[in-house]
Every structure is written in structure tokens, then in C-alpha cells.
Amino acid sequence: MAYQLRFAPAAADALARLEKRGPAAKLKKVRKALGLLQTDPMYPGLHSHRYHLFPGLEKDKVWDSYVENRTPGAWRIYWMYGPDEVRDGVEVSVITVLVIGPHL
């Protein structure tokens, strides 16, 4: 099942900055991780796990997936399921990407 990705302002800004002046290697890793997240959020290489007490969303289920591992300042993608949408009478499953950047 494929998910539609929706980006919170912080995630959209981080991605835009990376596309404009970030290292190409980092952008490639982020795009690969987003693609895997869109197709299978529990893909083993993402190491997705529940992130407890996300600032501002303490009562929501927020997940943390790896962009990088075993590197100083390793990047992560913080995300949550939903809210799902209905388009032309068809329900679309959504993942909202909250933050893209160094591990919190």
C-alpha cells in the first residue's frame, strides 16, 4: 500500500533548503528514505520506531525513521500517520512528515 506524503512546514523548509544548497549526497539519502517511507514505513532499513514525547505532540503517535545511521549528526525523519483524505470518493492513506534533520 502506498502512502501520500504530506509535509509540515518545518519538513518542507528543510527539504527546500537541502535542495537549494545542501550536499547532494545528503539530498539523495533523504529522497531515498522518503521513497521507502512512502511505500513501506516499516521497511527494515528505515529502522522506524515510535518516538515518545515529541515536542508539541506528546499525546500523538510520532515515528522516527533513519536517513543515516552510525554517522555524526545522523539525520532522521519524524512523521505520523494521517490524517487520511477522501479524493473522488476514494480514501487516500497519508503520512505527515513533521521534521527532516539531525536526530532530536
Side-chain angles (χ1 to χ4, degrees):
M1 167 208 260
Y3 291 85
Q4 178 74 37
L5 296 182
R6 176 185 293 147
F7 293 86
D13 290 346
L15 188 56
R17 281 192 310 272
L18 191 57
E19 287 172 340
K20 285 184 181 179
R21 56 185 179 270
K26 181 86 68 185
L27 178 60
K28 183 177 179 180
K29 289 177 186 180
V30 168
R31 286 184 174 158
K32 179 180 180 182
L34 288 170
L36 291 170
L37 183 64
Q38 188 172 16
T39 57
D40 181 5
M42 295 301 140
Y43 181 81
L46 290 173
H47 300 279
S48 297
H49 59 279
R50 177 95 184 275
Y51 191 85
H52 296 280
L53 301 175
F54 189 84
L57 297 172
E58 290 84 2
K59 294 183 181 185
D60 293 313
K61 291 182 181 179
V62 175
W63 297 82
D64 172 7
S65 296
Y66 288 18
V67 171
E68 302 170 305
N69 192 20
R70 296 187 180 118
T71 51
W75 276 39
R76 303 287 189 259
I77 297 173
Y78 298 89
W79 55 276
M80 59 193 296
Y81 289 104
D84 292 345
E85 302 174 352
V86 176
R87 294 186 190 157
D88 299 324
V90 177
E91 187 172 357
V92 177
S93 298
V94 174
I95 286 178
T96 300
V97 179
L98 302 168
V99 176
I100 301 170
H103 191 277
L104 297 177

